[in-house]
Amino acid sequence: MRPSIHRPRQSGITLIESLVAIVVAALGILGILGVQMRTLADTQTTVRRSQAIRLIEDLGERMKVNPNALADLGAYVSAFSATPSAGDCKTKQCSRTELAVYDLGTWKQTVKDSLPLGQASIFLAPGETVAANRRLLGVMISWRENERDTAGDYKNNIDATKIRAADGSFSDGGGTAATCPADRTCHLQYIPVAARCAPYLGGGPTQYFCPGS
């Protein structure tokens, strides 16, 4: 009989097991990095959208300062590519129309400086076709993102000419063609416009006087 040989029992892991563990760990790390990059991109988009909202609020405040911006809504209408001259309302007295042009030029320059390739379009609300009844201005601010969603639903949500039905579907509406430019991210918002009117007591029924009207 041959004497039995007792070989020591192997312990530890083999080379193949080591490689499998490394691959699994690498995939996990890549997944975490992908989530982090997506989170950073979403955060950047949120920050820029917040900037766009603040810029639109700034335009609304400028219009409130105008003695009668409601009577000069047309002076605020401006396409994305338009670059109105700001003029000079700091050192000289301006009429309500001149003040509107000055505010528009200054504001659009602020949009350009605040957002990457920032542009803005201001248009009359599509549903308000009677000039005397207009109370809203549509403002769409666009900027360039490193990546963006180009799906149809995304474009429809920021297209001022689209109307959403009760079932969520979109259809073409009337009015101005205020659509988001290609390869850009946009924020659309409507702002109410009013005139600063003061009561006038002339001994009879109270009347209201709007400066500049």
Side-chain angles (χ1 to χ4, degrees):
M1 295 180 61
R2 292 183 179 180
S4 60
I5 300 176
H6 297 282
R7 295 180 179 178
R9 186 176 181 181
Q10 292 183 349
S11 61
I13 58 176
T14 64
L15 179 60
I16 295 178
E17 292 172 336
S18 300
L19 292 176
V20 171
I22 292 174
V23 170
V24 172
L27 291 176
I29 293 173
L30 289 176
I32 294 174
L33 290 177
V35 172
Q36 290 291 334
M37 294 299 294
R38 181 70 261 177
T39 301
L40 289 175
D42 291 342
T43 301
Q44 187 179 54
T45 300
T46 301
V47 169
R48 287 173 177 167
R49 192 171 297 278
S50 298
Q51 289 178 316
I53 293 173
R54 287 194 294 269
L55 287 168
I56 294 175
E57 291 175 348
D58 175 59
L59 177 62
E61 293 299 323
R62 289 175 180 271
M63 297 182 72
K64 289 179 182 179
V65 175
N66 191 311
N68 195 358
L70 187 61
D72 278 318
L73 284 182
Y76 290 95
V77 174
S78 178
F80 280 112
S81 58
T83 54
S85 175
D88 182 15
C89 288
K90 291 184 177 180
T91 60
K92 70 174 186 178
Q93 184 176 355
C94 291
S95 65
R96 69 188 188 196
T97 303
E98 292 172 336
L99 183 59
V101 175
Y102 170 79
D103 285 338
L104 178 61
T106 303
W107 181 78
K108 293 198 76 170
Q109 183 62 43
T110 303
V111 172
K112 182 179 179 180
D113 296 338
S114 301
L115 294 169
L117 299 179
Q119 291 182 327
S121 172
I122 304 176
F123 53 92
L124 300 174
E128 298 180 345
T129 57
V130 181
N133 297 335
R134 286 172 177 159
R135 295 294 184 273
L136 290 174
L137 274 182
V139 183
M140 182 181 290
I141 295 181
S142 72
W143 64 92
R144 185 68 179 268
E145 293 281 8
N146 292 331
E147 57 178 323
R148 63 189 295 275
D149 185 0
T150 57
D153 290 342
Y154 174 84
K155 297 291 289 184
N156 287 332
N157 282 325
I158 52 179
D159 188 344
T161 64
K162 298 291 184 179
I163 298 177
R164 185 192 292 270
D167 60 358
S169 61
F170 288 92
S171 60
D172 292 332
T176 182
T179 58
C180 185
D183 300 326
R184 284 176 174 264
T185 300
C186 294
H187 177 76
L188 171 63
Q189 188 172 328
Y190 289 89
I191 55 177
V193 184
R196 291 193 293 117
C197 302
Y200 173 73
L201 303 177
T206 302
Q207 298 179 348
Y208 289 88
F209 171 73
C210 298
S213 60

